[in-house]
């Protein structure tokens, strides 16, 4: 627990630095701060992971892939596409971890239905603005919805702690802010809301790793 508090404090500092850098337009500080913040959740997951822990191995892979996605998003327009692919793989890794904790057959359909409705609504919201990214974003919405379903299913069944559901939900909400920033209306508010949600979600997913 002490380790988690220390890592969380370091991440919070890096997050404040990141938001200040974005606000001031300091690109160099933004790169350093975002990389440091993302490294924190990977470090926390790695510290909690133990060999032979299938759930933890999948979740740690997801954390690493998301960190890669964070770094790629710092690049050019092409970096956004590569970052989207990295996050897509990260979500699939999280799904693998949730499946290792609770087989897909045990995931309640009653949880999937509202997530599917929400996914369709998000798709309609973004569709006119996506252009050539329509197929990739549609796939991404489907996969992140599957990931949230797994987080909620494993937590409500007590196969994993509450952190799985909370982390997955916060990640989902943070991506709505990313979508608004990228495709709808860019402004600092998207970052001010989305980034804290994102890093809180990733920390919670790292805390879901409990070792074998």
């Amino acid at each position: 627990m002490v380790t988690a508090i220390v890592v969380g404090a370091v991440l919070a500092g890096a997050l404040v630095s990141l938001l200040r850098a974005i606000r001031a337009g300091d690109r160099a500080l933004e790169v350093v701060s975002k990389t440091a913040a993302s490294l924190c959740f990977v470090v926390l997951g790695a510290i909690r992971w133990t060999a032979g822990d299938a759930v933890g191995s999948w979740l740690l892979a997801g954390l690493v892939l998301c960190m890669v996605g964070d770094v790629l998003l710092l690049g050019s327009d092409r970096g956004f596409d590569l970052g989207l692919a990295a996050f897509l793989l990260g979500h699939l890794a999280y799904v693998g971890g949730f499946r290792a904790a609770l087989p897909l057959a045990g995931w309640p359909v009653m949880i999937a239905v509202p997530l599917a409705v929400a996914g369709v609504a998000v798709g309609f919201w973004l569709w006119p603005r996506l252009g050539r990214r329509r197929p990739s974003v549609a796939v991404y919405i489907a996969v992140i919805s599957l990931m949230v379903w797994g987080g909620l299913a494993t937590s409500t069944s007590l196969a994993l702690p509450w952190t799985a559901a909370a982390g997955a939900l916060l990640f989902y909400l943070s991506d709505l802010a990313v979508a608004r920033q990228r495709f709808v209306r860019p402004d600092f508010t998207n970052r001010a809301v989305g980034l804290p949600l994102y890093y809180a979600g990733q920390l919670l997913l790292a805390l879901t790793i409990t070792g074998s």
Side-chain angles (χ1 to χ4, degrees), residues 145-207:
S145 298
L146 179 64
M147 186 275 291
V148 176
W149 182 20
L152 291 171
T154 52
S155 289
T156 55
S157 68
L158 303 182
L160 289 177
W162 65 270
T163 52
L169 281 171
L170 289 177
F171 201 153
Y172 186 96
L173 293 174
S174 74
D175 268 0
L176 294 179
V178 172
R180 186 175 186 272
Q181 172 69 21
R182 182 72 188 189
F183 301 113
V184 182
R185 185 178 179 181
D187 60 52
F188 179 72
T189 302
N190 297 321
R191 307 289 187 86
V193 173
L195 286 171
L197 290 174
Y198 170 73
Y199 283 108
Q202 293 286 42
L203 275 182
L204 289 171
L205 288 169
L207 288 171

Side-chain angles (χ1 to χ4, degrees), residues 19-82:
L19 291 171
R20 286 179 175 173
I22 293 171
R23 188 73 166 176
D26 188 336
R27 186 63 173 169
L29 182 59
E30 179 184 352
V31 170
V32 172
S33 300
K34 189 173 187 180
T35 302
S38 299
L39 183 61
C40 284
F41 61 69
V42 173
V43 168
L44 180 59
I47 290 172
R48 297 175 64 84
W49 174 81
T50 58
D53 174 17
V55 173
S57 296
W58 279 110
L59 295 182
L60 181 57
L63 293 169
V64 171
L65 285 164
C66 288
M67 178 184 173
V68 171
D70 286 332
V71 174
L72 288 171
L73 288 181
L74 289 166
S76 61
D77 190 61
R78 177 60 176 165
F80 178 83
D81 295 318
L82 294 174

Side-chain angles (χ1 to χ4, degrees), residues 87-89 91-92 95 138-148:
F87 279 112
L88 181 68
L89 293 174
H91 289 311
L92 288 173
V95 169
V139 171
Y140 185 87
I141 291 172
V143 172
I144 193 174
S145 298
L146 179 64
M147 186 275 291
V148 176

